Amino acid sequence: MLEQKVIITSDGSTSIHLEEWNESYHSKHGAIQEAYHVFIKNGLSLFKGKSVSVLEVGFGTGLNALITLKEAQTYTQSIDYVGVEAYPLSNEVARQMNYVHKLDCDLAAEFALFHSTEWEKKHSITDTFSLTKVNKKFQEIDFKDEFDLIYFDAFGFRVQPELWSIAIFRLMYEALKNDGVLVTYACRTSIKNAMIEAGFSIEKLPGAPGKREMLRAVKKL
């Protein structure tokens, strides 16, 4: 396991930096603002008012799950959330994340549950938000036609190019229902081409602060 250093990003929210890789879990320009831009504005917002099944590839600090819970409460959505993570954070590190404070939300108990609940089991975090954490490598994902939305939040291509391959995106394609959507912060040409080869229809969108573009992919049978 690589050494994890808690850092503060430009919007005041925390992230984790892996010194050995010179790679962070979130954008240095702002963890919360990146998460909102990529996964909420360009992902969850497409499903306002609907029950949504979400697969997060890279559960990490739990930030994306937290903002999804917060936004789902605003729009009275029911969320079935599955987070896949190969290398879970310790509760000690998770407790150093300042997202509840920065989001000014009354979800401290729920955020604690994200990290303390047992893996491989579905848990009702609230009446309308369930969470299942799955401890496996992304290459082992084997869901079929289960999700409306995928948050693809793997480490960057520079350090783990194998997670941005045609083979991985074929697994993502299989995991989505027809008309399902995948969003990711990345927009490298090789990633776009891998998504297309896997069967996705691709759309380039303006990126979060610090990135010019991001990708949204749709499964069309």
Side-chain angles (χ1 to χ4, degrees):
M1 187 68 179
L2 299 176
E3 183 180 353
Q4 300 168 343
K5 178 184 178 182
V6 176
I7 61 170
I8 303 294
T9 64
S10 293
D11 66 1
S13 56
T14 48
S15 185
I16 293 171
H17 187 71
L18 304 176
E19 304 263 345
E20 187 175 333
W21 285 358
N22 190 27
E23 178 80 355
S24 295
Y25 278 50
H26 308 96
S27 169
K28 65 181 181 181
H29 299 283
I32 286 177
Q33 71 177 1
E34 177 191 45
Y36 260 102
H37 180 86
V38 175
F39 302 112
I40 303 300
K41 178 182 177 181
N42 291 300
L44 187 67
S45 67
L46 302 176
F47 300 89
K48 282 182 181 178
K50 300 177 182 177
S51 296
V52 185
S53 52
V54 179
L55 172 64
E56 181 179 11
V57 180
F59 184 75
T61 65
L63 172 58
N64 295 333
L66 180 64
I67 62 172
T68 299
L69 171 56
K70 182 176 183 292
E71 292 304 303
Q73 290 181 329
T74 301
Y75 297 111
T76 321
Q77 281 178 293
S78 177
I79 304 286
D80 183 9
Y81 200 100
V82 176
V84 177
E85 178 60 55
Y87 304 102
L89 291 189
S90 68
N91 286 333
E92 178 185 358
V93 173
R95 281 193 292 269
Q96 297 179 60
M97 300 299 104
N98 67 356
Y99 307 136
V100 172
H101 170 68
K102 284 295 177 181
L103 290 167
D104 191 23
C105 62
D106 186 23
L107 294 171
E110 288 81 359
F111 184 66
L113 282 174
F114 286 175
H115 294 284
S116 63
T117 52
E118 190 175 351
W119 289 74
E120 318 301 336
K121 291 186 178 181
K122 180 181 283 192
H123 301 275
S124 296
I125 304 299
T126 70
D127 290 343
T128 57
F129 188 98
S130 67
L131 172 66
T132 307
K133 298 182 298 183
V134 180
N135 183 200
K136 63 169 57 174
K137 294 182 178 180
F138 302 159
Q139 295 92 332
E140 299 168 344
I141 289 173
D142 58 357
F143 301 109
K144 302 293 181 185
D145 304 314
E146 290 190 39
F147 298 98
D148 301 297
L149 178 61
I150 292 177
Y151 298 164
F152 196 85
D153 202 15
F155 285 126
F157 184 92
R158 178 182 62 84
V159 296
Q160 288 195 306
E162 69 276 10
L163 300 184
W164 302 88
S165 64
I166 296 169
I168 291 290
F169 287 118
R170 282 182 176 147
L171 297 178
M172 300 301 105
Y173 189 89
E174 288 296 317
L176 284 170
K177 301 173 185 176
N178 189 34
D179 293 323
V181 175
L182 179 152
V183 283
T184 187
Y185 63 87
C187 196
R188 183 184 287 252
T189 299
S190 62
I191 294 171
K192 181 191 71 173
N193 291 340
M195 289 179 174
I196 292 170
E197 184 68 23
F200 284 106
S201 299
I202 303 301
E203 182 180 9
K204 286 185 180 180
L205 300 169
K211 291 190 74 71
R212 190 164 59 90
E213 294 176 313
M214 58 165 282
L215 289 171
R216 182 162 64 200
V218 179
K219 177 178 179 176
K220 293 285 189 183
L221 296 180

